[in-house]
Amino acid sequence: MSTTADLIMVDGDVLTVDADFSVARAVAVRDGRILAVGGNAEIEALAGPRTRVIDLAGRTVLPGINDSHLHGATWGLTRPPFALSVGHPAVTSIADVTEAVRQAAATTPPGEWITGLGWDLGYLAECLADPARRPHRRDLDGVSPDHPVCLTDFSGHTAWVNSRALELAGITRDTVAPAGGVIDADADGEPTGLLKESAQAVVQGLIPPATVERRKEAIRAAVASLHAQGITSYTEPGLGPGGTEILGGGLSTETLQAYVELVRAGELASRVSVLLLPAPMGGSAADVTAGLAGLDTTAGLDRERLAVIGVKLFADGVPPNETAWMHDPYVSGNQGALCVHGADAGLRQAELAEMIRVVHAAGYQLGVHVTGDRAIDAVVDAFVAAYGAHPRPDARHYVIHGDFVSAGSLAKLAAHGYSVNMNPAIKWTIADLMDEVVGKERSDYQWPVRSAAEAGLAVCAGSDAPITEPNWRQGVAAMMLRESKATGRASGPEQCVSLEVAIRAYTVNAARQDFAESWKGSIEPGMVADLCVLGGDLRAADPHDIPAIPIDLTVFDGRVVYER
């Protein structure tokens, strides 16, 4: 058999991310796989008359980046031209947001929905000037009286709607929020237009869902944009009857169908792992059992392109909304709660444990959205109990986000081969805000990456796009520096990690989460030829400069899919 390479890269800094984190000078690719890794001379010897040879000139090569928590279809649907971009720095004030809505209303037929994503209290001038100021339905009413408006915040956990949207949803001062949700009200008891957690779905469920064809268009656009970031794999965390997507995407079983159709047509140029979402926020074990029935439609497809690997559950909300369940109160005195079925904390915890047992017994990997320390402890204890009832040595369950995971829970996760999936770019975004919500000591600890790595966990990192942009270099810098976006101050510097730990979180550890470390996640012979070439020397760079290092080239399945 010929050993002539299709593609050769020489004279670079090839970070193989193998067990020793070894560094090579050159790499050769053939038939979509890594043919060889080594020095320049031995790799150049594999060139033939049709081989493309790229002189790296000292640039860094990494395995294709694996964003292990990225809502790909939703990210596509929440970007222009599908929706308004109302995040920083596109907008810097409530006035900016209302102007964007006014312009959209001028070109949108009366009665049609106007949707958008990204607003953040920490970057709205009026809220910074007056800490008591919040977005209000009246801000939107004046510029869109004839259009229902739904603008989801950057976290995806709060919707800002106008009076027309509240009217269509039937939300009044007498409306009781659904389980796990909050309908914000003013001093007079009138809805302000802010809907938190599961209450968002009351409005979002009215937004006409995107068609399968539109979802396919959004996924293709998203994948092309991810190639420009060096990203060749991602986990789509939550497709199924439990999910009404951000901005009213409709039942996300339709998104799974879109992915399946793209794979069958040979049009999915990424490796997508899927977590099924069988139950909504506020759901029950019965919802999980019913939701799992017949949900996986990926049988017979190429599992190196699309694979259902697990199930996602929601345990609590998010700390900025004070809906994460905490052992000690927030600064305000709240403690949050679990967002599952149950009349009190004890019943909810028992229901959550049963939900986890059902999924574990069904043979799935579990990824549980959980952020508060008390909720994380409950989830991890439920993992351990489920294992005791149904021993499965390679389930690879993990905690999604895990903001305030305790040392005790880290030890239990490590003992069972479980892990945590963290979001360092969110830490960079909200560090200063969290000082006011939970106090500086807890804020500094939030997302303890170093503690998790030292406990023996294969820590993964994801952007949670569209919550943050999928610039993994920003995530790497955030893990190394833990500096805030707003002020640049360090938040919990004792949790900083090395470049190696950060890179593993976006490559081989993410592949392990996908049960795929035998064929992706490192640059070694026989692995898939997914590569990311940076326009600089990553190891020599100041961590502050890493986010701006350009992506020069992305290779997927042995083919160049992006070239700067």
Side-chain angles (χ1 to χ4, degrees):
M1 185 180 73
S2 171
T3 56
T4 301
D6 302 321
L7 172 69
I8 283 175
M9 298 181 183
V10 297
D11 200 24
D13 204 47
V14 182
L15 307 188
T16 67
V17 200
D18 62 5
D20 298 321
F21 206 71
S22 59
V23 180
R25 294 291 289 169
V27 57
V29 171
R30 179 179 174 82
D31 294 334
R33 289 313 217 233
I34 303 297
L35 177 62
V37 183
N40 287 334
E42 64 184 291
I43 298 303
E44 287 172 340
L46 299 173
R50 295 184 177 87
T51 303
R52 179 178 180 184
V53 179
I54 296 175
D55 183 355
L56 294 166
R59 292 175 292 174
T60 297
V61 182
L62 292 170
I65 301 301
N66 189 336
D67 191 318
S68 55
H69 191 88
L70 184 153
H71 304 266
T74 297
W75 183 57
L77 286 168
T78 53
R79 305 169 76 209
F82 301 101
L84 295 178
S85 175
V86 291
H88 183 272
V91 304
T92 60
S93 64
I94 290 175
D96 285 349
V97 175
T98 58
E99 175 58 20
V101 172
R102 185 193 66 76
Q103 293 181 20
T107 58
T108 302
E112 289 192 10
W113 284 83
I114 295 172
T115 61
L117 176 77
W119 61 271
D120 182 347
L121 290 177
Y123 298 95
L124 296 177
E126 296 88 347
C127 300
L128 292 173
D130 177 4
R133 175 73 157 98
R134 292 291 182 269
H136 198 282
R137 58 185 167 82
R138 287 192 295 268
D139 296 317
L140 304 174
D141 290 348
V143 294
S144 56
D146 301 319
H147 301 83
V149 179
C150 181
L151 307 177
T152 306
D153 82 324
F154 81 99
S155 77
H157 288 260
T158 301
W160 171 15
V161 304
N162 67 349
S163 295
R164 181 61 179 146
L166 290 174
E167 179 186 349
L168 290 173
I171 295 176
T172 69
R173 62 182 297 136
D174 300 318
T175 302
V176 177
V182 176
I183 298 173
D184 190 62
D186 61 21
D188 296 324
E190 294 294 335
T192 64
L194 295 183
L195 307 173
K196 299 179 180 180
E197 308 300 349
S198 62
Q200 298 175 92
V202 180
V203 165
Q204 290 172 343
L206 300 176
I207 301 171
T211 64
V212 170
E213 286 303 315
R214 193 165 178 83
R215 289 167 202 261
K216 288 162 64 175
E217 182 183 349
I219 291 167
R220 281 190 289 258
V223 167
S225 294
L226 294 175
H227 287 162
Q229 296 282 355
I231 296 170
T232 57
S233 294
Y234 61 93
T235 296
E236 182 74 74
L239 302 182
T244 299
E245 295 182 68
I246 293 173
L247 305 187
L251 290 184
S252 48
T253 46
E254 295 174 359
T255 297
L256 185 55
Q257 180 184 344
Y259 276 112
V260 168
E261 291 185 9
L262 287 171
V263 173
R264 286 177 175 160
E267 297 177 359
L268 183 61
S270 188
R271 308 192 190 280
V272 181
S273 299
V274 173
L275 295 183
L276 302 175
L277 187 62
M281 187 178 289
S284 66
D287 293 330
V288 171
T289 300
L292 285 176
L295 189 54
D296 183 359
T297 59
T298 61
L301 299 180
D302 180 358
R303 291 185 61 81
E304 289 188 2
R305 293 298 175 100
L306 182 67
V308 169
I309 59 169
V311 167
K312 180 180 181 180
L313 299 176
F314 282 96
D316 66 352
V318 291
N321 281 355
E322 300 186 7
T323 49
W325 196 31
M326 305 291 284
H327 283 295
D328 297 319
Y330 295 92
V331 171
S332 68
N334 296 328
Q335 282 184 264
L338 292 175
C339 62
V340 299
H341 178 73
D344 58 40
L347 291 173
R348 286 191 288 270
Q349 187 166 347
E351 191 71 34
L352 175 64
E354 178 61 9
M355 294 165 77
I356 288 172
R357 187 201 66 77
V358 166
V359 175
H360 176 89
Y364 287 100
Q365 178 191 50
L366 266 159
V368 181
H369 167 113
V370 60
T371 61
D373 53 6
R374 189 172 182 183
I376 295 169
D377 287 346
V379 166
V380 174
D381 286 346
F383 283 170
V384 173
Y387 176 88
H390 305 276
R392 288 177 53 213
D394 196 31
R396 299 191 184 180
H397 301 324
Y398 62 99
V399 167
I400 296 173
H401 308 310
D403 298 37
F404 296 103
V405 59
S406 66
S409 282
L410 288 174
K412 292 175 184 177
L413 289 166
H416 287 78
Y418 301 156
S419 194
V420 61
N421 189 299
M422 294 184 173
N423 312 101
I426 302 181
K427 173 68 178 176
W428 170 69
T429 303
I430 69 170
D432 296 304
L433 167 67
M434 290 311 300
D435 283 5
E436 303 170 8
V437 178
V438 297
K440 187 176 185 303
E441 182 178 354
R442 280 189 291 180
S443 176
D444 282 353
Y445 181 76
Q446 191 174 16
W447 286 297
V449 182
R450 182 173 179 176
S451 292
E454 291 180 347
L457 276 67
V459 180
C460 296
S463 63
D464 204 8
I467 307 310
T468 68
E469 286 298 305
N471 179 352
W472 59 272
R473 285 100 70 216
Q474 183 64 65
V476 166
M479 295 168 84
M480 297 177 71
L481 297 168
R482 290 179 70 90
E483 294 178 353
S484 79
K485 177 179 178 180
T487 64
R489 70 170 185 84
S491 177
E494 65 279 359
Q495 291 294 339
C496 292
V497 298
S498 67
L499 176 66
E500 177 181 341
V501 171
I503 292 299
R504 287 188 182 280
Y506 283 101
T507 54
V508 70
N509 289 357
R512 180 189 179 276
Q513 178 182 289
D514 292 345
F515 300 92
E517 72 274 23
S518 65
W519 57 269
K520 73 173 183 177
S522 63
I523 305 176
E524 300 176 84
M527 305 293 274
V528 294
D530 298 348
L531 303 168
C532 169
V533 179
L534 294 171
D537 185 341
L538 180 62
R539 290 194 297 154
D542 183 318
H544 294 90
D545 297 331
I546 289 176
I549 297 177
I551 305 299
D552 276 2
L553 196 78
T554 302
V555 175
F556 173 74
D557 210 29
R559 297 178 296 105
V560 174
V561 292
Y562 171 77
E563 198 161 3
R564 186 165 70 97

